[in-house]
Amino acid sequence: MDRDSHCMAEKELLEAVSRITTFSTTSPSDEEQNQPQAEISCQVRKENPEKDELQDSNASLSPNSSMTTKELQEYWRNEKLQCRQIKLLFEIPSTRIVEHHLSKYVMYKIIILQTGSFDSNKSVIERRYSDFEKLHRNLLEEFSEEMEDVTFPKKILTGNFTEEIINERKLAFKDYLRLLYSMKYIRRSKKFIDFLTRPELQEAYGCLRGGQYTKALEILLEVIGLQERLTRGNPVSIVPTLCAIVVCHKDLENPASAFEYGEKALSRLCVHTSHRYYIPLLETMITLAYELGKDFLSLQEKLEEWKAKKDPIRIFTLKELAVREYIQ
């Protein structure tokens, strides 16, 4: 390559870097999100000092005409890493000590909110050390390579309830969750999502089975927002929760609210008509639409169309399906 061509290549690369810097707040691609997030965990950084030194030296660079093509490429790569945006933020502001007859443990209050703007729908859950430990063990079974550099607070025999140990673990668990969320395959995994939602869902479905629809609905409405944030790439996965909300509203004689959440669930199943919830939901929506004076004929047509294509089989009602969820 002659000198003029070489200069022109450097100039074009420099301009591209400037564009990346200018739009540093844009949403990341999955490929970029999947790269390690070095700034997330202090513990991980301490275990990889050479890697940190390299990143720090790259961060100190700035795009200018004195850079070589190789330096510009390295700067560009680093800028792309810095441009990545964490979509959920995990905070552990407080704890409480729980004492039963033969046991005593610490419950960590976890607040989960969306970054980038004021989030009025933050989610609040509580987990204990053994819950984190189980999550870590389960993730190691499936993601041993991704978890290679992830540290976990060790269990100690004494001093678990001192203020110093509790504060250390608060910070460690906060970094731990943020690090896990920074890894695409882990944050999308059922094991990670279950850790954040399953205990609350189990309680809600237990209330539903016991006829405590008001309490079940209260919990489900708190969980559904978090589920939606965690499963954006798989909207069908929250259909059972949406349908449980429909059941609660229907039994509490709130047909308008039941229909609203039914529409949300049905929109997620428009191309998944073989889903176990599709026909029970469709039948419920027809009943609700008729009761509310809405168009039920189009829903009836979809039901008849499905029945014409499928062999007659026993179909559970929507409520029968809901009460079968999360039975241990």
Side-chain angles (χ1 to χ4, degrees), residues 209-261:
R209 284 188 288 272
Q212 298 175 284
Y213 301 115
T214 300
K215 180 62 175 177
L217 182 60
E218 178 185 339
I219 300 171
L220 290 168
L221 290 175
E222 289 180 358
V223 175
I224 191 66
L226 178 57
Q227 274 190 306
E228 287 176 330
R229 297 171 188 176
L230 291 168
T231 61
R232 285 176 178 172
N234 183 21
V236 176
S237 64
I238 67 170
V239 165
T241 306
L242 288 170
C243 288
I245 293 174
V246 172
V247 169
C248 289
H249 274 305
K250 189 171 184 295
D251 279 34
L252 290 170
E253 298 183 355
N254 299 323
S257 297
F259 191 83
E260 175 189 349
Y261 280 91

Side-chain angles (χ1 to χ4, degrees), residues 72-84:
L72 281 168
Q73 290 172 337
E74 191 65 30
Y75 178 85
W76 193 356
R77 281 192 292 268
N78 185 67
E79 281 299 305
K80 288 173 70 177
L81 284 176
Q82 297 299 322
C83 288
R84 288 185 300 110

Side-chain angles (χ1 to χ4, degrees), residues 259 285-286 289-290 292-300:
F259 191 83
M285 290 295 285
I286 291 171
Y290 183 80
L292 293 167
K294 295 179 178 290
D295 173 28
F296 65 89
L297 294 178
S298 59
L299 297 171
Q300 188 70 46

Side-chain angles (χ1 to χ4, degrees), residues 68-263:
T68 64
T69 301
K70 183 177 181 180
E71 288 173 336
L72 281 168
Q73 290 172 337
E74 191 65 30
Y75 178 85
W76 193 356
R77 281 192 292 268
N78 185 67
E79 281 299 305
K80 288 173 70 177
L81 284 176
Q82 297 299 322
C83 288
R84 288 185 300 110
Q85 180 181 8
I86 301 176
K87 295 182 180 179
L88 291 184
L89 179 66
F90 298 86
E91 297 290 344
I92 304 181
S94 61
T95 61
R96 63 186 178 94
I97 297 177
V98 179
E99 293 189 61
H100 289 305
H101 297 296
L102 298 175
S103 64
K104 182 179 179 181
Y105 54 87
V106 179
M107 293 294 290
Y108 296 86
K109 181 180 180 180
I110 306 169
I111 297 179
I112 309 162
L113 61 158
Q114 188 170 336
T115 60
S117 61
F118 176 73
D119 189 356
S120 60
N121 297 317
K122 63 184 179 183
S123 301
V124 181
I125 60 176
E126 284 189 317
R127 297 294 182 267
R128 54 189 290 189
Y129 179 92
S130 59
D131 296 324
F132 281 96
E133 188 178 38
K134 182 180 178 181
L135 169 65
H136 191 70
R137 187 168 58 250
N138 290 339
L139 290 177
L140 283 174
E141 293 176 358
E142 187 176 352
F143 304 101
S144 57
E145 185 175 345
E146 290 86 345
M147 299 285 291
E148 187 176 25
D149 294 326
V150 179
T151 60
F152 187 81
K154 293 181 179 180
K155 183 177 289 187
I156 57 177
L157 298 178
T158 60
N160 286 292
F161 304 103
T162 64
E163 184 177 355
E164 181 182 2
I165 293 299
I166 291 175
N167 286 334
E168 285 180 2
R169 286 186 172 175
K170 278 169 55 180
L171 294 174
F173 285 143
K174 171 185 171 180
D175 283 346
Y176 178 74
L177 290 174
R178 293 177 66 191
L179 179 58
L180 293 182
Y181 183 77
S182 72
M183 294 183 274
K184 180 180 69 174
Y185 295 110
I186 290 181
R187 72 168 171 266
R188 292 182 179 179
S189 70
K190 185 177 184 300
K191 293 176 180 178
F192 182 67
I193 294 172
D194 278 354
F195 168 79
L196 296 171
T197 61
R198 189 177 181 87
E200 286 72 24
L201 287 171
Q202 287 177 323
E203 181 183 0
Y205 278 98
C207 292
L208 193 157
R209 284 188 288 272
Q212 298 175 284
Y213 301 115
T214 300
K215 180 62 175 177
L217 182 60
E218 178 185 339
I219 300 171
L220 290 168
L221 290 175
E222 289 180 358
V223 175
I224 191 66
L226 178 57
Q227 274 190 306
E228 287 176 330
R229 297 171 188 176
L230 291 168
T231 61
R232 285 176 178 172
N234 183 21
V236 176
S237 64
I238 67 170
V239 165
T241 306
L242 288 170
C243 288
I245 293 174
V246 172
V247 169
C248 289
H249 274 305
K250 189 171 184 295
D251 279 34
L252 290 170
E253 298 183 355
N254 299 323
S257 297
F259 191 83
E260 175 189 349
Y261 280 91
E263 284 186 314

